[in-house]
Amino acid sequence: MSESVRLVCPAGRKYVELWGGYALVALGAVVAVSGSGHWASIVLGAILILGGAAAAFDGHRIKAPVLEVSEDEFRYERGSYVVRVPFNEIGSYYVLPGRIRSLGLCDHTGRPKRFPSLKSRRTSRTYLPLTGMTNPAKVESFMAVAGIPPRKRSLTV
């Protein structure tokens, strides 16, 4: 593979908080301006603007998971949490179903690889969390372009 392949998982909560926050800011501005200068409408508008700004700020802080495969490594990034695995150590993958989907990587013998926890806890996990809006078909096509076979079709299992 000569170029890197990249997949950004959609984060639904991010978009809801951004659009909801911007809508509250706009609604607050309309309420404050159209209230004919009454102190209650100005206070309500200010509260709506502050709440909307807080929601939009929180939406901007949410980091979506990014999967990237280059010539020599597989990389998973979610905020400041980064996992790098040499490409030649990956034998297959599997996608865990559920409300929040996850991606598991296996070595060439079919054993799941272990990764450190996301929150710097002492436990480790065998999967990398994606988002609930991530389509498993997109993950499968991404891994196919990267050249990593699914676990059920790997040569060693």
Side-chain angles (χ1 to χ4, degrees):
M1 178 184 342
S2 62
E3 296 182 17
S4 65
V5 182
R6 183 177 173 105
L7 172 70
V8 178
C9 299
R13 183 176 149 221
K14 177 181 182 99
Y15 300 118
V16 168
E17 287 191 19
L18 284 174
W19 285 102
Y22 293 145
L24 282 176
V25 168
L27 180 66
V30 168
V31 167
V33 170
S34 68
S36 68
H38 194 268
W39 66 270
S41 63
I42 294 173
V43 170
L44 179 62
I47 291 172
L48 288 173
I49 289 172
L50 289 175
F57 176 73
D58 192 46
H60 280 290
R61 287 189 359 204
I62 296 173
K63 302 292 183 190
V66 176
L67 303 173
E68 188 173 3
V69 175
S70 63
E71 289 181 9
D72 53 347
E73 74 176 0
F74 174 88
R75 182 175 174 188
Y76 170 86
E77 182 178 346
R78 185 173 190 169
S80 62
Y81 179 73
V82 177
V83 171
R84 291 182 176 157
V85 179
F87 190 69
N88 58 4
E89 292 181 9
I90 301 173
S92 60
Y93 76 95
Y94 58 96
V95 178
L96 295 172
R99 197 182 104 214
I100 297 192
R101 291 180 181 79
S102 299
L103 175 69
L105 299 176
C106 300
D107 59 9
H108 292 288
T109 62
R111 290 184 308 234
K113 295 188 80 50
R114 301 205 55 88
F115 307 105
S117 176
L118 285 175
K119 301 291 183 183
S120 298
R121 296 187 179 110
R122 293 181 186 201
T123 61
S124 62
R125 55 179 55 184
T126 57
Y127 55 88
L128 300 168
L130 304 174
T131 60
M133 292 182 66
T134 303
N135 187 355
K138 278 191 172 184
V139 175
E140 290 172 3
S141 65
F142 167 76
M143 295 303 247
V145 168
I148 302 172
R151 186 175 188 179
K152 61 187 171 208
R153 286 191 242 148
S154 72
L155 300 174
T156 57
V157 175

